[in-house]
Amino acid sequence: MVVAIDGPAGAGKSTAAKLLARELGFSFLDSGALYRAVALSLTRQPGSAAERARDVRIELGDRVLLDGEDVSAAIRTPQVSEAASRIASDPGVRAALVKKQRDMLQQGDWVGEGRDIGTVVAPHAELKIFLTASPEARARRRAMDLGQADWRVVMKDQALRDQQDSEREHSPLRAAPDSIELDSTDRPVEDVVRQIAGLVREAKSRRGEGEAGGAAGARSGGQAGGGAGARSGRGREAGGEGAGARGGGAPPGGAPFESPDA
Ligand code: CDP
């Protein structure tokens, strides 16, 4: 089973996806880490972005390894965030990284987090969430993660990335038409995770493989349990809203993978 969680920068996707994966016993795919790792590699050694995306070996798990080097911290700087967003508009980069992601998702149960999991990487995902929160809430959370005192500074960078991510020609940030939109502006991440876990149980029971009668639940066009409203079938532009605390626990062992070309 694949659960796709997409949304704008700082929407709390990473924290929610990690916690959810741990709770469900699923592997966790942090797709942004792939774009970040390629961007880091290019800042160190300029070259063709598409070729680099194809050739580097990236392993995801408790740590992010780039050709064997632990780059977990190095890929989180604002410079790498910006560079990642820039190279993410390159169709060759996207093709290479989408392939790596699809290879991973072929086996087992996954929570995948990013911008295009539900639209491009795994359009057949059994559950798709589009996680948002207000730009201010997102900037405040991100500022806290970065130890940056002034969240307004972070909000400027964020607006640029939102724009780049939503206006690019290839795989722009969009909610999948069959996604459920959750706004976590004033909600603790645990609450959001509880709601999504309920939706996963519902999806499983619909497939006849989970316990009957899941917990919270929004269906297409319905109202979500567990607090906030959830809408389905409505795309929304990045920068509208996003939610989220960042950081958080270790992923539950996303299987390491290597580029087939590496
Ligand atoms: O954590 P945050 O949302 O700030 O960023 P991220 O998920 O680590 O992704 C970094 C950048 O990679 C984003 O700004 C996107 O441009 C790009 N990205 C993408 O294009 N597609 C994805 N599935 C994931 C990330």
Side-chain angles (χ1 to χ4, degrees):
M1 177 173 193
V2 175
V3 178
I5 303 182
D6 293 302
K13 306 182 300 284
S14 294
T15 308
K18 269 182 208 163
L19 290 173
L20 180 72
R22 191 189 297 160
E23 182 170 329
L24 299 172
F26 287 16
S27 297
F28 168 56
L29 167 60
D30 175 1
S31 65
L34 301 178
Y35 290 89
R36 288 171 177 276
V38 173
L40 176 67
S41 170
L42 286 162
T43 58
R44 289 172 169 180
Q45 197 186 341
S48 154
E51 278 173 26
R52 191 68 53 81
R54 201 188 57 215
D55 296 341
V56 285
R57 186 165 52 94
I58 307 169
E59 294 164 61
L60 301 181
D62 283 347
R63 316 294 299 169
V64 178
L65 303 184
L66 172 63
D67 290 326
E69 177 195 347
D70 186 342
V71 294
S72 313
I75 60 169
R76 300 290 165 195
T77 65
Q79 290 77 15
V80 173
S81 298
E82 207 281 315
S85 176
R86 241 180 314 113
I87 62 148
S89 64
D90 180 326
V93 170
R94 300 208 72 84
L97 296 186
V98 166
K99 181 180 184 316
K100 287 184 200 293
Q101 292 170 71
R102 286 186 180 153
D103 288 348
M104 288 179 85
L105 296 179
Q106 257 174 12
Q107 281 188 356
D109 294 318
W110 290 88
V111 177
E113 175 256 306
R115 303 289 192 287
D116 61 346
I117 307 293
T119 50
V120 177
V121 175
H124 303 300
E126 284 85 346
L127 179 65
K128 301 179 186 179
I129 303 293
F130 196 76
L131 192 58
T132 65
S134 72
E136 182 178 329
R138 295 194 283 127
R140 283 182 186 278
R141 286 168 178 158
R142 186 48 60 92
M144 213 145 62
D145 296 339
L146 294 170
Q148 159 69 259
D150 190 352
W151 59 269
R152 287 177 196 82
V153 174
V154 175
M155 196 144 98
K156 272 197 195 140
D157 289 353
Q158 178 181 281
L160 173 68
R161 275 216 291 156
D162 282 350
Q163 192 183 359
Q164 280 177 174
D165 289 351
S166 57
E167 291 181 359
R168 68 182 172 221
E169 188 184 344
H170 299 278
S171 305
L173 174 63
R174 290 273 182 278
D178 51 348
S179 65
I180 293 170
E181 188 171 319
L182 301 182
D183 184 333
S184 73
T185 300
D186 295 314
R187 302 177 65 192
V189 67
E190 293 77 13
D191 188 35
V192 173
V193 169
R194 207 173 309 121
Q195 183 179 8
I196 302 175
L199 294 170
V200 171
R201 280 190 286 276
E202 276 199 348
K204 273 186 168 177
S205 66
R206 275 201 298 277
R207 286 173 23 152
E209 63 175 63
E211 327 67 27
R219 281 195 194 84
S220 288
Q223 198 54 265
R231 290 192 293 136
S232 178
R234 309 281 318 160
R236 189 186 282 191
E237 300 297 330
E241 290 160 317
R246 246 199 97 89
F257 74 105
E258 299 186 357
S259 158
D261 307 304

